[in-house]
Amino acid sequence: MSNKTDGPCPCGSQRTYAICCEPFINGISSAPTSEALMRSRFSAYTVGAYEYILATYATSAQLTLSSADLAEHDEGSDWRRLEIVQAKANEVEFKAYYQSQGQYFLMHEVSQFVQEEGQWHYSTGEIQPDSGKLDLGRNAICLCGSGKKFKRCCS
């Protein structure tokens, strides 16, 4: 995405980044739901907004993390697509697809969220058993969500 503001939001909402996740990441407004927070956190990973990611952790988790730690852990990851499986009031199940060192991976998690001072924060997450390296055949549908075959898109 050369111009993220005018382009589609990385979270897959079908809205532009400028009206979807960017206002949350830039501190203009707060995510109104746990799902909106999850989507904005994914988008923050795609644009390297680690300070925002840290700020959206529950207070207890913020004490043990730093934005530098988050950046270091994420180094070399190219987040491709977010799929919301199910969203409840304080729980979001999602699948995040990413590429790292030429390999493709799935992070399937059920995340818990809490409200602190009227704002949603990520509390904990349980990684699901199907997470890990993906073996994509050339005729598989591409992870980026284009609908094209992998061999004709992001291979």
Side-chain angles (χ1 to χ4, degrees):
M1 258 182 253
S2 59
N3 186 346
K4 287 203 182 291
T5 299
D6 292 335
C9 193
C11 80
S13 68
Q14 306 303 316
R15 298 184 300 177
T16 65
Y17 178 67
I19 64 169
C20 188
C21 291
E22 187 178 41
F24 306 143
I25 292 169
N26 289 341
I28 295 167
S29 60
S30 299
T33 65
S34 58
E35 180 181 349
L37 181 65
M38 179 65 243
R39 288 181 177 281
S40 68
R41 286 171 56 87
F42 177 84
S43 292
Y45 273 105
T46 70
V47 299
Y50 302 109
E51 288 291 333
Y52 174 78
I53 296 165
L54 180 62
T56 59
Y57 270 96
T59 304
S60 58
Q62 288 181 26
L63 300 174
T64 61
L65 295 170
S66 73
S67 58
D69 292 336
L70 294 170
E72 183 179 332
H73 184 262
D74 191 47
E75 188 174 336
S77 297
D78 181 13
W79 295 92
R80 297 298 184 108
R81 181 169 60 101
L82 176 66
E83 175 187 336
I84 301 296
V85 176
Q86 176 176 273
K88 299 177 183 174
N90 67 332
E91 180 181 278
V92 178
E93 180 180 356
F94 70 91
K95 293 181 178 182
Y97 298 89
Y98 65 100
Q99 182 180 10
S100 180
Q101 298 178 351
Q103 301 292 317
Y104 292 89
F105 296 87
L106 164 65
M107 180 179 162
H108 183 183
E109 181 176 308
V110 177
S111 300
Q112 302 296 317
F113 295 84
V114 295
Q115 282 198 320
E116 295 178 341
E117 298 182 19
Q119 295 186 8
W120 286 103
H121 291 272
Y122 173 83
S123 177
T124 61
E126 183 179 326
I127 301 294
Q128 300 301 294
D130 61 340
S131 294
K133 185 180 175 211
L134 295 172
D135 292 317
L136 296 175
R138 292 178 44 81
N139 289 321
I141 299 298
C142 193
L143 295 179
C144 73
S146 68
K148 297 177 183 177
K149 289 185 178 182
F150 179 66
K151 68 183 177 185
R152 301 224 181 260
C153 195
C154 293
S155 67

